[in-house]
Amino acid sequence: MGKVTYGIRFSQKSPFAQEIKERKQRLKGLVTQGKQLDAAKSCIDLGELLLHQADYDDTQDDQIQSLAQALRYCVKANQVFEHSQKYHWLARSLTLMVQCYQKQEDYDKAIEHNRQLIELFKQPDAKVKSKTMLQQAYKLMGDGFFCRAQLDPGRSKHDDMANANKYYEKERTVLDRLSAKEVGDNDAWREMLRSSHFNLGVAKAKLRPFMDDRAAEQSLKQAINDSHRMHDVAHERRTWWELGNLYYRQREWDKTLECQRKELAFGQSLEEDELASYIDLMRTCLEISDYKSCMVLVREMRKLVGDDEQGMATQSLDEDGDERKELVELAVNRVAAVRDRRSELEELSERNVTGRPMAMACLALGEAQTEADMLASALHTVQLGLMQFDSKNKSEPLLLSMGTLHLRLLELKANLHWHLRDLSLDDTIKLNRQIINDAKQYCTDKEKAVEYISAAVERNRDIYAYYNQPEKAAQWDQHLDHILDTTDDVEMAYDQSSQSESLGPASPPLLKLSKPLFDLAQVKTTMSMIVNVPLKCKEVQIGVICEDTMETMDWLACRVASLCWEQHGIQPKITQFYLQDHPLDMDDVLTKLLDLAGRRTYHLEAVVNGLVEKPLIDLYNNVCARRSEKPSPLIQEVLKDQATSSKISLRGSGLCHEQLDTIIEWLNLVPDVITELDLSANLLRDEDIRRMMGALTFIPTHLNLSSNLLTATTLEYLLSEHNAHFQKLYFAYNLLDALTKQQLTDLYTSHPDLQLLDVQGSHALPVAPWKQ
């Protein structure tokens, strides 16, 4: 990741302000005297001062204004230089313009003017013969292409890095013919050589298809030696970081760690922020599954962000300290996610499990690796997941749920390839077309299908722009506009629906009283109440603090119901309150509770007449919020369209042991008696089922556990402990090889109440479902 410096911004006064003012006055005098050539030269001197001034401007607007002034002076001067054939001065002016455009990040114009500059040096009739100016022109051109290569796809081009490398090599050729004497400054000469080695090394390291890695390594090592001889610690640190990035891409982990540790040591010696360095180190340790080192780095990082107040002045802002702490915790969470997902995948591999479970585990690990910026590793994981859908694998047909899983893997693959820029134009278009077709075929949710299709169309537009094919890019852009225009109404309705759902129960309007019922001095008296509320099979106590006793008992009912929902996941319909066996009118204001003793705490009994029916997804989100857990997007997707009923399906929701406690609590909150429960196509294991069945407050009559990671132990447990409850038990595509076919038959026939037992695909022998 990039380096970040946190600092307090101080207003800087430009040391050039007075000189700029004097130069402008002198320029006016030269123009008045009709000395056009001298005035043009003065314009260049003034433009160079304005370029330096931009570094001291406090705001971006001031900087833009300074650069725009410099460019206007150059444009005026160029006409004079061309007319008088003062090409050396014209070269200076074009060089200044290129520098201004680069500082504005307008690299297209910078490259355009750089081409005009280089034309002045072309042999055999070169109009300018200065080797130092030619070296600078080539370097600026290389910088322009290199910087544009880092921009978004719509602005960068596929050959930018190749062009950057070409011009850095041209610069190097000129430098090889230059001497320190010609440069006139030995230190400047050494800095030019160091900069050339560094730029060549970085450009070659990023030049696809990575044919120049050896040359990149040599150039970066030479730049390190140059920086060391010059005692330039800051540049040496940066070069070690770039060399580490090269080794990281090559997956040479020992060399990567060596470079990253040296880069960290230099940052510590400079007393600069080393947090990003720790995160880079952690990512490399995570790549090689060195979790022990990751935890050591975590302790160092937490120590670093915990000492902000006594640390560097550049880290003294509270908001920066909070941001750094959040960054550390985010890195820690990413390590834990990759570790856990990787462990699940390894377990599946050891048990030779293929098909849906393996594909789902690969998707989860690929997403975690992507979040941790391990893009190449994520791509390898996604490819493994897609292999589960190979035509040779006949273990599961590609039905709707499998098609959706396949689509999610393809979408992640497309995003990874696009970020890595390692796929050809034709292959990228082909992959995006496949995503569009699969979205139309497998997405039953129109909004979700539009998301997949619009993302694929947008990538196609950007890839054509990246390969400099504007006409085709425009066609895909029109296609994208059409898709978005036709879905605006759907998205607007969805947004309004989401907002209304997120607001929770609305409070009733305040009671409009015809006349005051109390002394206004009592209006702001604070009251606290403890309300006993019967919820399902238990009674809970809810504490309420009221700052305004003008509120009514009806308001209190809504407030208590809302707190019950927030704290217990159940929202009751409260119709009455009792205080010491005395019923209270729901239109009464709370001041009526005040007694002569001035008591401020009251114990009330609530009368509940039913519960507010909540969508299953709201119940699930509520449980996650109370457990301080992040909801699973896949579970949310499965539950989104399900209504509260006696039939619950979590099929293909990625359910595993880590989410089990949350799901158990959620199932126990469903108001209806659940008779049919579908947990198929997940990652559940034997201990998960035993824990779940022991914690549920109900036993379904129809239970579907197909396509999990279950063995004969679970089947025997279910039929021995809960045989009186099950009418239909689906156990297909699990792991029952430990039982013989006769044992399975005996197990089924010994439970006469069982109407159906489906174990097909769970045994090496063909076993059809038993039915009575």
Side-chain angles (χ1 to χ4, degrees), residues 447-509:
E447 291 177 13
K448 199 66 179 177
V450 169
E451 285 183 25
Y452 283 119
I453 293 171
S454 59
V457 170
E458 187 173 350
R459 281 192 298 270
N460 279 350
R461 177 200 65 187
D462 291 344
I463 194 71
Y464 276 121
Y466 184 66
Y467 278 92
N468 208 22
Q469 298 186 28
E471 293 182 358
K472 290 187 176 180
Q475 292 175 2
W476 282 100
D477 193 45
Q478 291 176 357
H479 187 24
L480 179 62
D481 289 340
H482 175 71
I483 293 173
L484 297 178
D485 289 343
T486 56
T487 57
D488 278 346
D489 295 338
V490 176
E491 291 179 356
M492 184 176 296
Y494 175 77
D495 289 342
Q496 292 174 349
S497 174
S498 300
Q499 291 174 4
S500 64
E501 290 175 1
S502 65
L503 294 176
S507 298

Side-chain angles (χ1 to χ4, degrees), residues 622-637:
N622 175 275
V623 174
C624 291
R626 288 187 289 107
R627 298 176 65 88
S628 299
E629 295 178 0
K630 182 179 180 181
S632 165
L634 193 53
I635 293 178
Q636 290 177 320
E637 183 69 22

Side-chain angles (χ1 to χ4, degrees), residues 161-219:
M161 197 58 68
N163 283 323
N165 180 67
K166 180 178 74 173
Y167 283 100
Y168 284 144
E169 286 181 339
K170 286 177 177 289
E171 179 206 4
R172 187 70 206 181
T173 302
V174 177
L175 282 172
D176 289 340
R177 300 200 307 265
L178 266 176
S179 64
K181 184 177 180 180
E182 290 176 286
V183 175
D185 185 332
N186 191 52
D187 289 339
W189 162 242
R190 293 166 63 188
E191 171 58 24
M192 290 163 67
L193 293 176
R194 184 210 62 78
S195 176
S196 175
H197 285 131
F198 177 82
N199 290 337
L200 272 171
V202 175
K204 289 183 181 298
K206 300 179 184 297
L207 186 59
R208 299 182 185 279
F210 305 125
M211 300 291 290
D212 292 338
D213 279 357
R214 180 60 181 165
E217 181 182 7
Q218 291 175 346
S219 294

Side-chain angles (χ1 to χ4, degrees), residues 31 68 154 165 190 195 199 296 381 403 542 580 603 605 612 683 696:
V31 172
N165 180 67
R190 293 166 63 188
S195 176
N199 290 337
V296 172
T381 304
I542 301 297
Q580 299 176 350
H603 291 268
E605 299 289 336
V612 177
L683 300 172
L696 289 178

Side-chain angles (χ1 to χ4, degrees), residues 264-277:
L264 173 60
F266 279 116
Q268 292 170 335
S269 68
L270 290 169
E271 296 186 355
E272 293 181 349
D273 183 19
E274 61 262 32
L275 182 57
S277 303

Side-chain angles (χ1 to χ4, degrees), residues 412-481:
L412 182 54
K413 177 183 178 180
N415 282 328
L416 288 168
H417 277 306
W418 185 225
H419 283 294
L420 292 169
R421 301 291 195 274
D422 61 350
L423 209 58
S424 69
L425 171 62
D426 292 339
D427 288 339
T428 302
I429 298 298
K430 180 180 178 181
L431 177 58
N432 287 324
R433 287 187 183 277
Q434 183 181 0
I435 290 173
I436 293 172
N437 293 333
D438 284 6
K440 294 177 180 178
Q441 181 176 357
Y442 296 117
C443 273
T444 56
D445 186 330
K446 182 178 179 181
E447 291 177 13
K448 199 66 179 177
V450 169
E451 285 183 25
Y452 283 119
I453 293 171
S454 59
V457 170
E458 187 173 350
R459 281 192 298 270
N460 279 350
R461 177 200 65 187
D462 291 344
I463 194 71
Y464 276 121
Y466 184 66
Y467 278 92
N468 208 22
Q469 298 186 28
E471 293 182 358
K472 290 187 176 180
Q475 292 175 2
W476 282 100
D477 193 45
Q478 291 176 357
H479 187 24
L480 179 62
D481 289 340

